[in-house]
Amino acid sequence: MSEEPTIPSSRGAVDLSALSSHRLQATDATAPEAGATWTMELDEAAFQQFVALSQRVPAIVSLGSPRVPASTELDASLRKLVDARGGTFVLGLVDAEARPQIAQAFQAQQIPLVVALVNGQPVPLFQGPAGEEQIEQVFGQLEQLAAQQGLGGTVPPFAGAAAEPALPPLHQKAVDAIEEGDYAAAEAAYLQALNEKPNDHEAQVGLYQVRLLSRTQNMDLNQARAEAASNPDDLNAQLNVADLDIVGGHVEDAFSRLVSLVSRLADEDRERVRRRLIELYAVIGTNDPRVAASRQKLARVLF
């Protein structure tokens, strides 16, 4: 196993449904419950939040196809061995044919392909079929690497746990709209929630995330990067790349780009970039150490 560069952006890969749901949030879990599973099928909406879990435990991604027998057999073995670990690993199953953006993010040339994420960084595990004994050996190596990277503890199961409280009606309306790809309706629901309750923090963060999804849904990362590189003074081009970096998990790159912009701008342009940073800080989470570090750098260039 060897570390490789950060995963390229997968357009639109932000999990808005996790704003108020604790389905994917990393907290300490108890012993495995009967029927509990730490395996889930990944789509673009859930991908980014799954990546975020790799900051707590190794997050394993299996790219395959239900039409490939070797892939279905491998996924069954992975599911069995991951779930037996009771939350020390998580597993995401990706239909590479139905989710080409995720497959492209891992530069998958052949399936089945299994990659682990440790602190957001990809760690190739194996390609092609593998028996349970081989998988367990690789898992043992992955466990050692995770410990070296400071990962530990467990996360709660994706299914089989106690029922979660229902979302507030407007939040549920927004989540439903997101699942249908109707970002305008989701934004309207969050705005209504904020109008009724101005201090609704989750609605505010949800609004920022919906706007991020809306801004990036039709962007091409390579084209956006080329435009930003050839037009360093084009404010919109720089903001677009920062948005795509956030969506793709390149959080520090996005923050660094925008703080640098703030240091070079003045008046309305400077304020526009500062406001975008504040929104993105909320999207990532104010308790995230990357946010704290960027806030300090922003304060230095502002004052």
Side-chain angles (χ1 to χ4, degrees):
M1 299 186 298
S2 61
E3 271 192 37
E4 292 189 350
T6 304
I7 298 170
S9 171
S10 179
R11 250 184 350 220
V14 174
D15 179 16
L16 298 176
S17 65
L19 284 171
S20 302
S21 167
H22 301 290
R23 179 173 57 92
L24 290 179
Q25 290 180 2
T27 57
D28 289 334
T30 57
E33 300 177 32
T37 182
W38 286 264
T39 301
M40 68 178 301
E41 294 184 3
L42 289 180
D43 57 16
E44 290 83 354
F47 178 65
Q48 186 58 37
Q49 190 72 12
F50 187 82
V51 173
L53 280 182
S54 72
Q55 297 175 5
R56 282 291 305 275
V57 298
I60 299 166
V61 180
S62 177
L63 297 112
S65 169
R67 299 191 300 108
V68 178
S71 178
T72 57
E73 293 173 7
L74 177 61
D75 285 349
S77 297
L78 289 169
R79 179 192 295 269
K80 172 185 173 182
L81 297 176
V82 167
D83 287 349
R85 288 175 171 263
T88 59
F89 286 6
V90 291
L91 172 64
L93 305 179
V94 178
D95 183 339
E97 295 174 338
R99 308 294 178 186
Q101 288 182 332
I102 301 179
Q104 183 181 6
F106 288 96
Q107 301 179 344
Q109 302 296 318
Q110 179 181 337
I111 57 173
L113 172 68
V114 181
V115 179
L117 298 170
V118 177
N119 280 329
Q121 299 297 310
V123 181
L125 298 186
F126 43 81
Q127 186 168 290
E132 290 188 9
E133 184 176 347
Q134 179 187 355
I135 295 172
E136 281 284 34
Q137 290 176 350
V138 172
F139 279 6
Q141 297 172 23
L142 181 60
E143 207 165 34
Q144 294 176 12
L145 175 63
Q148 293 170 8
Q149 296 292 319
L151 273 63
T154 59
V155 296
F158 300 142
E164 298 170 356
L167 296 177
L170 288 171
H171 290 233
Q172 187 62 57
K173 184 177 180 181
V175 170
D176 292 343
I178 291 162
E179 292 177 350
E180 295 173 2
D182 190 345
Y183 301 140
E187 180 173 348
Y190 281 130
L191 284 171
Q192 184 179 348
L194 286 167
N195 184 57
E196 295 180 4
K197 186 180 177 183
N199 63 344
D200 188 336
H201 174 71
E202 289 189 347
Q204 185 67 74
V205 175
L207 177 63
Y208 291 155
Q209 288 206 5
V210 168
R211 287 175 174 172
L212 175 63
L213 271 184
S214 182
R215 290 194 302 265
T216 58
Q217 64 175 329
N218 295 318
M219 286 187 197
D220 179 86
L221 177 60
N222 292 330
Q223 180 181 346
R225 287 199 183 282
E227 291 177 357
S230 59
N231 299 283
D233 295 326
D234 186 329
L235 184 55
N236 288 330
Q238 302 304 320
L239 290 172
N240 286 344
V241 173
D243 279 346
L244 287 167
D245 276 344
I246 290 292
V247 168
H250 305 286
V251 174
E252 292 169 326
D253 290 344
F255 289 168
S256 178
R257 180 182 296 270
L258 295 186
V259 170
S260 178
L261 268 181
V262 169
S263 70
R264 303 197 308 267
L265 297 172
D267 302 327
E268 293 181 2
D269 286 344
R270 188 182 206 189
E271 178 59 18
R272 180 184 174 193
V273 178
R274 188 195 69 82
R275 287 198 305 268
R276 178 63 61 83
L277 262 171
I278 298 304
E279 290 187 12
L280 296 179
Y281 289 160
V283 167
I284 298 303
T286 55
N287 292 326
D288 191 294
R290 296 167 297 183
V291 171
S294 181
R295 282 187 181 278
Q296 292 178 358
K297 295 175 182 177
L298 178 61
R300 286 197 291 269
V301 301
L302 285 174
F303 308 108

